Amino acid sequence: MRERTHPETITARHQKSVEDRHVVFQALNDGMASLYLTGDAEKVQAAYHRTLDTALSLQGPEETRTLTQLAADVLTDVLIGGVTPDGLGAGVAAQVNVTVPVLTLLGKSEEPGYLAGYGPIDPDTARRLAAGAPSFTRLLTHPETGVVLSMGRDTYKPPAALKKWLEVRDETCTFPGCRRSAKRSDLDHSIEWQHGGETDAMNLAHLCPYHHAVKSYTRWSPKHLGDGRIEWTSPAGYSYIVEPSADMRPPRHPTPVPKPPAPFVDVWTLDPTPEDPDDPTPF
């Protein structure tokens, strides 16, 4: 009845709606997340049935996972490592950064790992990913990193290790409020190279193409505060501080507590003949 009385045909409406197809990632609590797909009904339904049929084929007396759990595992495995029948996806792998504290990797600490774009993950998952899981880039945090953080004026282009270090530190565009991924942003010299700026971790930050242009052609200006934070000043004079996504500095060593000063003794007030309980003074 709805289709018969609708002023537009379903063909015309579908042609408009299909332009709104999209995928949404939503972070959840406790190391979980959801992935939502909106697209052509026949394709989404076919993908759902293929996932469910594959999950059903994996069931058996020795399988402890439920059908729902199997379906979730099948879908993620296919999306991460699968290739379409026409070869689409061959040679393409998801690149995800996993930061793992070195003591957690060695099993001497239960400090959580950090999944770029999500947040903290449990130590067991961090160790499993660091052990060589495909499509994950392992980044170990160490009290003293070996990454070269400054090239001075020797070169304009940052080396690969420095680019990776900055990608982990920033994670997103560093303009206030922008959440575009650092992977899809430009690595910009805050003080322009032609104006004497150095290729240094404290002069480099990620900016999406739009905010890169805003910084270059307007009076918005960034200032590195030396600890990964960047202070942006607007044309109206207001300041906004952007915190780094990851603290990449070596850990601060606690300042030792100074020893208390020795008690002051005034030798001029000392009794020259102190009482000795073992040698009482005779009467």
Side-chain angles (χ1 to χ4, degrees):
M1 181 63 70
R2 177 179 182 273
E3 293 305 327
R4 291 188 187 127
T5 57
H6 203 286
E8 278 190 294
T9 66
I10 189 171
T11 302
R13 282 183 281 124
H14 178 68
Q15 289 175 347
K16 293 179 183 178
S17 299
V18 76
E19 295 179 358
D20 295 329
R21 61 190 182 277
H22 59 276
V23 177
V24 177
F25 170 84
Q26 180 180 356
L28 304 175
N29 294 330
D30 305 323
M32 303 296 286
S34 293
L35 187 67
Y36 297 93
L37 167 65
T38 300
D40 296 270
E42 73 280 6
K43 294 181 180 178
V44 175
Q45 188 182 48
Y48 170 75
H49 285 301
R50 185 188 180 196
T51 302
L52 200 59
D53 291 343
T54 306
L56 285 167
S57 70
L58 296 175
Q59 285 189 313
E62 312 244 335
E63 180 57 63
T64 59
R65 291 173 291 178
T66 66
L67 180 60
T68 303
Q69 292 169 341
L70 281 168
D73 293 344
V74 165
L75 185 58
T76 52
D77 288 343
V78 169
L79 289 176
I80 291 173
V83 179
T84 61
D86 57 359
L88 184 63
V92 177
Q95 292 299 316
V96 180
N97 294 330
V98 181
T99 302
V100 187
V102 68
L103 293 180
T104 297
L105 184 66
L106 296 175
K108 296 183 178 180
S109 170
E110 291 303 302
E111 180 78 13
Y114 185 84
L115 183 63
Y118 174 78
I121 56 176
D122 64 277
D124 288 339
T125 300
R127 282 190 282 264
R128 177 174 57 81
L129 296 178
S135 304
F136 289 89
T137 300
R138 181 182 65 186
L139 299 171
L140 299 182
T141 58
H142 192 273
E144 298 295 338
T145 175
V147 175
V148 177
L149 297 181
S150 177
M151 300 297 292
R153 295 285 298 171
D154 294 338
T155 179
Y156 173 80
K157 186 177 179 181
L162 178 55
K163 291 174 67 176
K164 177 63 70 177
W165 191 92
L166 291 168
E167 187 179 298
V168 174
R169 184 197 70 180
D170 296 343
E171 193 173 313
T172 64
C173 169
T174 56
F175 192 86
C178 184
R179 302 299 300 167
R180 180 160 182 168
S181 168
K183 285 180 175 292
R184 292 170 176 79
S185 299
D186 306 325
L187 195 52
D188 174 63
H189 289 74
S190 296
I191 300 176
E192 303 286 350
W193 175 263
Q194 62 269 27
H195 298 153
E198 298 185 353
T199 302
D200 185 287
M202 292 301 106
N203 190 47
L204 290 167
H206 286 89
L207 290 175
C208 69
Y210 175 78
H211 289 123
H212 195 167
V214 168
K215 178 251 180 183
S216 298
Y217 300 112
T218 73
R219 292 177 59 195
W220 278 94
S221 61
K223 176 185 177 183
H224 287 259
L225 300 181
D227 54 2
R229 297 182 302 154
I230 300 177
E231 181 180 18
W232 283 86
T233 303
S234 73
Y238 295 101
S239 295
Y240 306 89
I241 294 179
V242 177
E243 299 284 344
S245 292
D247 189 352
M248 304 295 287
R249 297 169 295 170
R252 300 182 180 90
H253 297 289
T255 304
V257 179
K259 295 181 179 180
F264 175 75
V265 178
D266 186 356
V267 297
W268 299 104
T269 61
L270 290 177
D271 187 352
T273 56
E275 293 184 359
D276 186 351
D278 296 329
D279 186 16
T281 304
F283 292 96

